[in-house]
């Protein structure tokens, strides 16, 4: 069983236990489970705070299928992100701000879109979260950071200035050159263009993704930019939060 499958199984077992204890309605499918009510995928105090912010509430309405929302899934990386950063006491906790290098007075923006001349609106880069001078990519059970043909990636004007391609490119069975870790590349190009720091948030069990992050950092040509790219685990972040949220995270995700 791979890293992704093990994490999915862990979360599924946790959620099944919680749903039985708290009599929460879920739909169980062959490979996944879905909360029938969106609010059940959030800590109550966090969800109440989300509902007070129109932009945050709109973010929770992202479609997964015709009948379900993305954040109805306990595997949603956006949901775990919002469970933490939308908590009403988050701005008062010194721990996570010190850990992540953010200021408590800075606005928390979900789904921020930088501008790249080569991108069409339908496929534009979306940053999971921006807080001041830092941008974040949220990961949970996703299998990879995706990949693209080199012909697509090299249209970013700074690609060859920022990256040493030998660490990023593989050849497909059809002979095409494929660039691995496309999401990381777009995030780092955003950090480079806007002079930002970039961090990935992920589960401590995802050694596979951590290795990919380290490979991409190794590919950076500029030492100064390498110092602006890092990662943190959900476990690290949860340990710096208040007791209620920390317990919630441990019971559901860890």
């Amino acid at each position: 069983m791979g890293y992704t499958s093990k994490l999915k199984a862990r979360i599924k077992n946790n959620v099944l236990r919680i749903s039985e204890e708290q009599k929460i309605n879920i739909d169980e499918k062959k490979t996944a489970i879905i909360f029938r009510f969106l609010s059940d995928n959030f800590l109550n105090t966090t969800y109440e705070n989300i509902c007070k912010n129109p932009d945050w509430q709109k973010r929770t309405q992202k479609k997964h299928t015709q009948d379900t929302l993305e954040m109805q899934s306990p595997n949603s990386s956006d949901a775990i992100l919002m469970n933490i950063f939308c908590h009403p006491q988050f701005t008062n906790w010194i721990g996570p701000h010190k850990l992540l290098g953010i200021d408590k007075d800075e606005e928390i923006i979900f789904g921020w879109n930088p501008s790249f001349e080569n991108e069409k609106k339908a496929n534009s880069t979306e940053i999971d979260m921006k807080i001041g001078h830092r941008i974040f990519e949220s990961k949970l059970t996703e299998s990879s950071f995706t990949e693209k043909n080199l012909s697509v990636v090299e249209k970013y004007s700074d690609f060859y200035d920022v990256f040493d391609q030998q660490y990023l490119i593989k050849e497909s069975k059809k002979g095409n050159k494929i660039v691995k870790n496309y999401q990381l590349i777009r995030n780092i190009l955003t950090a480079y263009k806007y002079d930002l720091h970039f961090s990935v948030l992920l589960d401590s069990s995802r050694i596979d993704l951590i290795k990919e992050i380290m490979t991409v950092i190794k590919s950076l040509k500029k030492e100064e930019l390498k110092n602006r790219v890092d990662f943190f685990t959900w476990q690290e972040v949860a340990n710096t939060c208040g007791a209620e949220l920390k317990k919630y995270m441990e019971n559901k995700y860890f």
Side-chain angles (χ1 to χ4, degrees), residues 3 17 22 35 38 86 92 110 117 122 124 133 138 149 158 178 189 211 215 239 245 250 253:
Y3 294 104
R17 171 179 47 78
Q22 301 181 11
F35 286 99
L38 175 66
C86 295
N92 297 325
F110 298 101
E117 293 179 358
S124 62
H133 66 289
S138 176
N149 284 326
D158 295 322
I178 303 296
L189 287 173
K211 287 180 178 179
T215 297
N239 281 335
L245 180 58
E250 290 174 343
Y253 295 109

Side-chain angles (χ1 to χ4, degrees), residues 193-223:
K193 180 177 181 179
Y194 291 88
D195 195 24
L196 302 169
H197 285 72
F198 167 54
S199 300
V200 181
L201 300 171
L202 75 174
D203 191 85
S204 62
S205 69
R206 295 304 304 273
I207 306 301
D208 55 332
L209 296 185
I210 292 172
K211 287 180 178 179
E212 295 297 342
I213 294 169
M214 299 308 296
T215 297
V216 173
I217 292 175
K218 185 178 180 180
S219 77
L220 295 175
K221 293 181 177 180
K222 302 176 187 294
E223 196 65 32

Side-chain angles (χ1 to χ4, degrees), residues 124-138:
S124 62
T125 296
E126 180 181 89
I127 304 300
D128 288 336
M129 182 174 68
K130 181 179 183 294
I131 306 178
H133 66 289
R134 277 192 177 269
I135 55 175
F136 297 87
E137 173 78 10
S138 176

Side-chain angles (χ1 to χ4, degrees), residues 123-155:
N123 297 308
S124 62
T125 296
E126 180 181 89
I127 304 300
D128 288 336
M129 182 174 68
K130 181 179 183 294
I131 306 178
H133 66 289
R134 277 192 177 269
I135 55 175
F136 297 87
E137 173 78 10
S138 176
K139 287 294 178 207
L140 192 57
T141 61
E142 291 89 345
S143 60
S144 72
F145 292 110
T146 72
E147 54 187 36
K148 283 283 183 181
N149 284 326
L150 176 61
S151 59
V152 174
V153 181
E154 64 183 0
K155 290 179 181 178

Side-chain angles (χ1 to χ4, degrees), residues 19-121:
S19 66
E20 184 175 347
E21 292 173 352
Q22 301 181 11
K23 302 189 185 312
I24 294 174
N25 294 315
I26 60 171
D27 290 326
E28 187 173 357
K29 304 181 184 302
K30 287 185 178 180
T31 58
I33 53 177
I34 299 291
F35 286 99
R36 292 185 191 174
F37 301 104
L38 175 66
S39 58
D40 289 331
N41 202 20
F42 292 89
L43 178 66
N44 289 339
T45 48
T46 294
Y47 190 72
E48 289 172 2
N49 203 40
I50 289 172
C51 291
K52 296 175 183 178
N53 186 312
D55 290 334
W56 292 358
Q57 191 171 28
K58 183 179 179 181
R59 182 71 172 170
T60 66
Q61 300 305 303
K62 291 169 60 179
K63 286 285 188 179
H64 177 61
T65 66
Q66 185 176 357
D67 301 319
T68 64
L69 300 174
E70 180 182 316
M71 293 195 208
Q72 283 179 266
S73 168
N75 294 329
S76 169
S77 54
D78 284 314
I80 190 174
L81 185 72
M82 296 188 77
N83 257 310
I84 294 173
F85 291 87
C86 295
H87 191 282
Q89 293 300 315
F90 182 80
T91 56
N92 297 325
W93 295 329
I94 297 174
H97 293 86
K98 185 176 181 180
L99 174 70
L100 301 173
I102 54 178
D103 189 272
K104 69 182 185 67
D105 297 321
E106 292 171 327
E107 182 183 9
I108 300 174
I109 302 171
F110 298 101
W112 178 66
N113 296 110
S115 176
F116 289 103
E117 293 179 358
N118 59 295
E119 290 186 342
K120 295 181 180 179
K121 187 174 182 180

